[in-house]
Amino acid sequence: MIEAAYLHIPFCHHICHYCDFNKVFFKNQPVMPYLEKMRDEMKQTVERYPANDLKTIFVGGGTPTALDEKQLTYFLESIHESFPVHDVKEFTFEANPNELTEEKLRILHAYGVDRLSIGVQTFNEQLLEKIGRVHSNQQAFQAVDEARKIGFRNISLDLMYSLPGQTISDFKETLDIAFSLDVEHISAYSLIIEPKTVFYNLMNKGKLRVPSQEDEAFMYEMLMNEMDKHGYSQYEISNFARSGYESLHNLTYWDNNDYYGIGAGAHSYIDGIRRSNIAPLKKYMQAVTETNHAYLDEISVSKVERMEEEMFLGLRKTNGVNKASFYEKYKVEMNEVFSEPIKEYTNKGLLEQTESSLRLTKKGRFLGNEVFQAFIGGI
């Protein structure tokens, strides 16, 4: 049962210093030919794997709002051709504040997009410049305000912490401003310095100073406390929502359920097979033309691997991994398969069991990666 579709728009007008996602500069790129091949891939994929149970659509990037109005309209029409948009429970578009014009917002709303995920990162404009963002605070405020006027009732802000030069008071101010915008959902991630990024090169030259591990941990604890204080429930390590506004799309990933991946560099998981698409645009488009798909590789996931993934993905959720669901999927008790890591990390105070689930403790959320690793390769 395929519950979610991820559609990848790799174009960006500007690439941030921390970004390692599959992306290309927008200028002089074959945007329309790429969108046409995405349209073909959608049709061919849905013919092979019908979208009868689809619950969510998520358009990410890159920056989907880098498309102009004509390109955006074509792309949304393509989605409607292949997917039952009017039946899905959540249709999300990622967006940059400086690209959300009134006309684009009206187009998105008219074609059924009902959730916006706006990449703000920080409300400190000096930090915005330092990390390579090109929008202003005023553009972020205006984007939220304009979206409200047009009818969007589910808006998420993406924030980052542990940025170069960021102080605890900087992050507190960003949170305060975010709360003042009265959005339904907030994601907040600590900076991870990835290879092949501007920040990675600066770090190797000794030219990048980031907050200490102690300050990063303090920011995370402050984040959890402030979210709770302002009525946002933590339902995953980095995600907070008002009641009823949890990201249904991301929950598909954390519940280890099937999803489509459409576009250059996109990943999918269908019927126990994980696939990754070719990333370079011209090779992606050529592959779709010649083979009706763009798979770079296909990996059949064994039962053992699926159970391991169920644990390290599911434990990201505040509710943890449901014991009954685990048994229903794999016909074996979770505590029987993973007795050793469960015992070890429960004794360390990082895991706890309820009658229905296994989950991280609050202490465990600070050391989640250590706990997740314990469930890989140990069976």
Side-chain angles (χ1 to χ4, degrees):
M1 189 168 74
I2 308 171
E3 297 187 353
Y6 174 80
L7 312 179
H8 187 69
I9 301 295
F11 307 109
C12 288
H13 287 298
H14 184 83
I15 296 175
C16 303
H17 299 338
Y18 54 82
C19 186
D20 74 327
F21 297 112
N22 176 39
K23 72 281 179 188
V24 292
F25 283 114
F26 192 90
K27 190 175 181 180
N28 299 324
Q29 293 297 330
V31 179
M32 280 305 296
Y34 174 76
L35 295 178
E36 288 165 3
K37 290 306 169 188
M38 279 192 76
R39 190 174 203 156
D40 291 342
E41 188 194 2
M42 278 185 253
K43 288 180 182 178
Q44 291 149 4
T45 300
V46 171
E47 283 176 10
R48 187 176 179 186
Y49 302 105
N52 301 329
D53 301 300
L54 196 68
K55 295 179 181 177
T56 71
I57 300 170
F58 191 104
V59 181
T63 316
T65 49
L67 301 178
D68 65 27
E69 288 80 0
K70 181 179 177 181
Q71 294 160 348
L72 192 59
T73 299
Y74 177 88
F75 177 56
L76 287 160
E77 287 175 349
S78 302
I79 296 172
H80 275 260
E81 282 183 6
S82 291
F83 296 116
V85 174
H86 296 298
D87 295 331
V88 302
K89 296 181 178 179
E90 179 185 278
F91 187 178
T92 303
F93 244 73
E94 285 188 336
N96 278 344
N98 54 306
E99 295 168 349
L100 273 180
T101 64
E102 180 182 348
E103 187 174 354
K104 287 183 185 180
L105 284 165
R106 290 193 183 282
I107 292 170
L108 292 172
H109 194 257
Y111 278 91
V113 176
D114 59 8
R115 184 175 184 270
L116 297 174
S117 179
I118 303 176
V120 171
Q121 317 314 354
T122 175
F123 285 106
N124 180 317
E125 293 198 332
Q126 289 180 319
L127 279 178
L128 281 175
E129 185 177 352
K130 187 176 288 188
I131 65 177
R133 301 292 285 178
V134 295
H135 71 267
S136 67
N137 284 354
Q138 187 56 42
Q139 287 171 321
F141 303 151
Q142 186 174 344
V144 173
D145 184 55
E146 207 59 65
R148 291 295 194 211
K149 289 177 182 175
I150 287 167
F152 286 93
R153 297 292 175 262
N154 190 354
I155 298 176
S156 177
L157 300 182
D158 283 350
L159 305 178
M160 297 181 74
Y161 61 96
S162 198
L163 297 170
Q166 187 179 39
T167 65
I168 290 167
S169 61
D170 284 334
F171 187 50
K172 174 65 163 59
E173 183 178 10
T174 280
L175 289 176
D176 288 342
I177 295 172
F179 295 137
S180 75
L181 294 177
D182 201 28
V183 296
E184 287 72 28
H185 185 283
I186 298 175
S187 300
Y189 300 93
S190 64
L191 174 68
I192 297 174
I193 299 172
E194 303 283 4
K196 300 180 181 178
T197 62
V198 172
F199 277 169
Y200 184 80
N201 294 333
L202 288 173
M203 183 182 69
N204 285 343
K205 294 175 182 176
K207 295 181 178 180
L208 190 73
R209 295 183 63 184
V210 296
S212 66
Q213 288 186 339
E214 291 77 12
D215 281 353
E216 180 180 337
F218 190 92
M219 288 180 192
Y220 184 52
E221 184 167 22
M222 180 176 69
L223 169 70
M224 291 190 287
N225 292 338
E226 290 295 315
M227 289 291 173
D228 183 60
K229 188 189 303 183
H230 287 83
Y232 293 85
S233 175
Q234 183 176 20
Y235 68 101
E236 190 268 347
I237 284 180
S238 302
N239 285 271
F240 306 80
R242 289 185 171 155
S243 180
Y245 289 96
E246 297 81 3
S247 170
L248 299 179
H249 182 84
N250 285 338
L251 284 168
T252 298
Y253 299 147
W254 300 321
D255 288 338
N256 203 26
N257 292 330
D258 287 9
Y259 54 90
Y260 300 100
I262 305 292
H267 292 73
S268 63
Y269 181 43
I270 300 173
D271 293 342
I273 298 175
R274 293 198 181 278
R275 298 179 174 93
S276 60
N277 277 0
I278 296 165
L281 294 189
K282 290 183 179 178
K283 291 183 177 180
Y284 163 82
M285 292 189 288
Q286 181 180 356
V288 173
T289 300
E290 295 176 355
T291 67
N292 293 332
H293 64 74
Y295 305 146
L296 177 65
D297 54 40
E298 299 181 86
I299 300 171
S300 182
V301 185
S302 69
K303 179 181 176 180
V304 167
E305 290 169 329
R306 291 200 301 272
M307 289 191 292
E308 291 174 346
E309 289 176 354
E310 191 84 12
M311 300 305 293
F312 73 73
L313 290 169
L315 284 172
R316 293 189 62 88
K317 299 178 295 181
T318 307
N319 290 337
V321 182
N322 184 275
K323 296 176 185 178
S325 296
F326 187 95
Y327 185 83
E328 184 180 342
K329 281 187 178 181
Y330 307 109
K331 307 307 176 190
V332 64
E333 299 288 349
M334 178 202 308
N335 281 30
E336 180 183 329
V337 180
F338 297 106
S339 59
E340 288 303 316
I342 290 174
K343 181 180 179 182
E344 177 182 352
Y345 285 90
T346 300
N347 289 339
K348 288 181 177 180
L350 304 182
L351 285 175
E352 63 184 3
Q353 295 203 52
T354 67
E355 186 175 333
S356 62
S357 66
L358 177 75
R359 64 190 185 192
L360 293 174
T361 62
K362 186 171 182 180
K363 178 183 175 184
R365 294 176 207 167
F366 290 86
L367 300 167
N369 287 335
E370 177 187 335
V371 180
F372 305 152
Q373 288 298 320
F375 290 90
I376 301 174
I379 302 178

